[in-house]
Amino acid sequence: MLQTAYKFGEVHQLAAQIEGGHDKVHFKGIFENGNGGVSLVAFKEGQGLAEHIAPAELMVCVVEGEIEFTVVDKPHTLKAGEFMLVGEGVAHSVVAKADSKMMLIKVKA
């Protein structure tokens, strides 16, 4: 069953849906079902997510700013408009090089 606070057919400005905070990395779910979902993540410069394992196939797309996305100990710099795919079960971490927002798409096989 689809879970979302949004209505189908409405237009939204993506970056305006989430704001970062100095207290922690902020997450906002756009929609989710049993096969995955779409979330927004906001970072202030220097914030990050420690290494963890991808729970599904991932697409990480930077909406604003710049992040360092490390996959299996190899760092990649992603800027606004760029994306990367990550396989399920793959170790990765994130550090914001500037105030940043990214869209995270999870698809379970």
Side-chain angles (χ1 to χ4, degrees), residues 39-60:
S39 300
L40 296 176
V41 186
F43 304 86
K44 289 294 185 183
E45 182 177 358
Q47 289 179 331
L49 299 172
E51 185 176 77
H52 57 284
I53 303 296
E57 307 290 335
L58 304 178
M59 178 178 169
V60 175

Side-chain angles (χ1 to χ4, degrees), residues 8-67:
F8 284 87
E10 291 181 347
V11 176
H12 302 275
Q13 206 283 326
L14 189 61
Q17 301 305 304
I18 190 169
E19 290 299 323
H22 293 286
D23 56 332
K24 62 181 180 177
V25 175
H26 286 235
F27 292 83
K28 181 175 183 179
I30 301 297
F31 72 83
E32 186 173 338
N33 66 20
N35 296 318
V38 175
S39 300
L40 296 176
V41 186
F43 304 86
K44 289 294 185 183
E45 182 177 358
Q47 289 179 331
L49 299 172
E51 185 176 77
H52 57 284
I53 303 296
E57 307 290 335
L58 304 178
M59 178 178 169
V60 175
C61 180
V62 178
V63 176
E64 288 183 353
E66 181 178 330
I67 63 171

